[in-house]
Amino acid sequence: MDEDKLITVSVFSSHNNALFQVAKSLLDENKIKYFSSGDYLNNLEAPVYSAEIRVFEKDEKSARELLSELVPAEYVPSDNFESFLTKNGFKIILISFVIMLLIIWLVKTI
């Protein structure tokens, strides 16, 4: 296997499941292989829902061109999903804490 096929880059991430599915369809139609993560949480709403698409490095340019038609260029990420977690980690922890408190409250009231 070629070395360049082993390297993947993030080309798209979204908090909108419908937009994410359109992005995957565009890549499918153009026969660009990709890896997606986070899209299995499709019943969640933003900011909890977050999904990312990664492609092989050799397909990065064509994937970015396709996906730039979907959203303005500033929304197509140049970094990866870990960056999203770094930027939004506090929000995720806070939401998790509130959910935990609600569950504890519900259990005590039943």
Side-chain angles (χ1 to χ4, degrees), residues 9 11 55-66:
V9 292
V11 293
V55 298
F56 290 117
E57 193 174 48
K58 67 181 180 65
D59 296 323
E60 179 181 10
K61 183 179 179 186
S62 54
R64 284 189 188 280
E65 286 174 6
L66 281 171

Side-chain angles (χ1 to χ4, degrees), residues 60-110:
E60 179 181 10
K61 183 179 179 186
S62 54
R64 284 189 188 280
E65 286 174 6
L66 281 171
L67 300 177
S68 69
E69 298 294 321
L70 264 182
V71 292
E74 64 267 16
Y75 293 112
V76 179
S78 60
D79 55 343
N80 55 29
F81 189 65
E82 288 80 21
S83 174
F84 165 79
L85 292 177
T86 302
K87 293 175 187 172
N88 297 293
F90 178 75
K91 292 177 189 174
I92 294 170
I93 292 169
L94 182 62
I95 291 169
S96 300
F97 182 72
V98 170
I99 291 171
M100 183 184 69
L101 289 176
L102 286 171
I103 291 171
I104 291 170
W105 178 77
L106 283 171
V107 168
K108 286 186 175 184
T109 59
I110 295 178

Side-chain angles (χ1 to χ4, degrees), residues 10 12-21 24 35-53 75 77 79-89 91-92 95:
S10 177
F12 187 80
S13 66
S14 178
H15 295 295
N16 182 320
N17 184 37
L19 190 62
F20 189 77
Q21 298 305 321
K24 288 183 4 178
F35 303 92
S36 63
S37 63
D39 53 330
Y40 56 88
L41 298 173
N42 61 6
N43 292 327
L44 299 177
E45 295 296 325
V48 178
Y49 175 85
S50 181
E52 176 189 36
I53 294 176
Y75 293 112
D79 55 343
N80 55 29
F81 189 65
E82 288 80 21
S83 174
F84 165 79
L85 292 177
T86 302
K87 293 175 187 172
N88 297 293
K91 292 177 189 174
I92 294 170
I95 291 169

